[in-house]
């Protein structure tokens, strides 16, 4: 399992990779799990947590309520007894176990949502509902349990997307960034693309050097900066035309 160590000595372990990344932030005593992946990976997720000797989880942070992030929340709640944290704008979706299809951000995904979006059976996007314990409105610090780590609101992919800033060094960003392509950090889907680009600015306002997305590999600050500037230039160009 890939692992990053921050300046305070916290470990960020990528417990699951591939379909959707799941990260564990640990200081050896307390554990914060970030996202849960899809339902069919529940067995693998349990086995991996077992290999790490994780018996209890203090907090489960959900970056947002899409099924590929929140599907195992209820099972984790039952087995590891965490406090479940989510932004207040995502609470209803989580407690209903459902999600709306976001808009496309690329020509291909925009067309896909417009043509096939309505044909996708609702059941494919549904998951076991789960009641959250702690609803975030603005920033939320984990100092009380010994972490220099803070949740911050980075909306755009969804209204209540959250990112976890660890040691002002590494950010775990959910679907606010996309790590599948080497040259682009642009997620293929977002409720509001412009709001999401503003959230990129918010991430760049931290000192973080590494951004860990839910899909794909770690993103360097330089690539995020490059993409942000490029999009700003395109948008400014379009406005002046
Ligand atoms: Zn998503
Ligand atoms: Zn996702």
């Amino acid at each position: 399992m890939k692992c990053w160590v921050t300046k305070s000595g916290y470990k960020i372990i990528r417990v699951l990779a591939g379909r959707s990344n799941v990260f564990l932030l640990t200081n050896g005593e307390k554990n914060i799990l970030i996202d849960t992946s899809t339902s069919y990976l529940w067995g693998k997720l349990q086995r991996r947590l077992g290999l790490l000797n994780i018996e209890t989880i203090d907090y489960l942070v959900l970056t947002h309520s899409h099924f590929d992030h929140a599907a195992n929340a209820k099972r984790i709640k039952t087995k590891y007894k965490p406090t479940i944290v989510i932004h207040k704008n995502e609470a209803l979706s989580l407690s209903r176990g459902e999600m709306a299809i976001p808009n496309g951000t690329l020509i291909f995904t925009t067309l896909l949502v417009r043509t096939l979006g309505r044909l996708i059976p609702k059941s494919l996007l549904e998951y076991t509902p789960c009641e959250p314990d702690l609803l975030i409105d603005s920033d939320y610090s984990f100092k009380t349990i010994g972490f220099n780590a803070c949740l911050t609101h980075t909306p755009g992919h969804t209204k209540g997307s959250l990112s976890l800033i660890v040691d002002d060094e590494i950010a775990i960003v959910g679907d606010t960034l996309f790590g599948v392509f080497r040259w682009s950090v642009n997620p293929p889907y977002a409720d509001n693309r412009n709001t999401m680009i503003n959230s990129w600015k918010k991430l760049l306002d931290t000192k973080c050097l590494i951004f860990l997305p839910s899909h794909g590999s770690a993103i360097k600050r330089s690539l995020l900066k490059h993409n942000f500037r490029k999009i700003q230039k395109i948008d400014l160009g379009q406005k002046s035309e």
Side-chain angles (χ1 to χ4, degrees):
M1 284 176 257
K2 195 161 171 56
C3 176
W4 293 260
V5 181
T6 68
K7 57 193 170 202
S8 296
Y10 314 141
K11 282 183 181 169
I12 298 172
I13 301 164
R14 193 172 61 190
V15 184
L16 281 187
R19 175 66 183 88
S20 303
N21 296 328
V22 173
F23 297 101
L24 180 79
L25 169 64
T26 181
N27 59 6
E29 285 178 16
K30 301 282 184 183
N31 302 309
I32 301 175
L33 193 73
I34 299 98
D35 284 342
T36 76
S37 192
T38 51
S39 198
Y40 74 90
L41 288 170
W42 170 235
K44 193 170 181 182
L45 179 58
Q46 282 182 96
R47 283 196 296 281
R48 292 278 175 93
L49 289 169
L51 286 174
L52 295 166
N53 295 319
I54 300 296
E55 283 168 7
T56 57
I57 292 170
D58 298 280
Y59 286 88
L60 168 62
V61 168
L62 296 170
T63 59
H64 60 296
S65 59
H66 285 166
F67 75 98
D68 53 331
H69 301 255
N72 294 309
K74 179 75 178 172
R75 289 160 165 164
I76 287 172
K77 176 81 180 168
T78 306
K79 183 163 179 181
Y80 301 97
K81 312 276 187 263
T83 298
I84 298 188
V85 193
I86 196 165
H87 191 274
K88 67 176 176 54
N89 293 345
E90 306 281 322
L92 191 61
S93 292
L94 180 66
S95 60
R96 287 180 175 169
E98 60 183 32
M99 60 171 274
I101 300 172
N103 301 316
T105 58
L106 313 168
I107 294 169
F108 170 68
T109 51
T110 305
L111 278 173
L112 199 69
V113 171
R114 280 189 194 153
T115 52
L116 296 177
R118 270 176 253 116
L119 302 176
I120 294 175
K122 243 183 131 192
S123 58
L124 266 187
L125 306 173
E126 286 174 350
Y127 55 90
T128 311
C130 182
E131 283 305 322
D133 302 301
L134 183 58
L135 300 184
I136 302 296
D137 193 359
S138 52
D139 288 0
Y140 182 83
S141 165
F142 286 102
K143 252 191 184 126
T144 46
I145 59 160
F147 288 100
N148 178 26
C150 183
L151 277 173
T152 194
H153 188 202
T154 45
H157 176 70
T158 62
K159 277 188 179 151
S161 287
L162 291 173
S163 295
L164 182 63
I165 313 295
V166 184
D167 255 349
D168 215 13
E169 188 181 340
I170 297 179
I172 300 169
V173 300
D175 285 357
T176 298
L177 302 174
F178 193 63
V180 171
F181 304 117
R182 275 174 171 224
W183 62 92
S184 169
V185 301
N186 195 20
Y189 302 96
D191 283 346
N192 188 321
R193 173 189 170 274
N194 290 347
T195 309
M196 184 179 71
I197 305 300
N198 285 335
S199 291
W200 292 7
K201 170 80 174 66
K202 197 172 182 183
L203 290 172
L204 283 169
D205 285 342
T206 69
K207 292 196 180 78
C208 290
L209 297 173
I210 296 171
F211 300 86
L212 301 176
S214 292
H215 307 291
S217 328
I219 293 165
K220 284 185 184 158
R221 185 180 178 86
S222 52
L223 182 65
L224 173 57
K225 215 173 185 175
H226 174 74
N227 272 247
F228 178 67
R229 284 186 178 154
K230 201 167 82 184
I231 281 184
Q232 265 191 326
K233 263 188 205 159
I234 293 168
D235 288 359
L236 280 175
Q238 281 172 349
K239 268 181 204 159
S240 64
E241 271 170 17

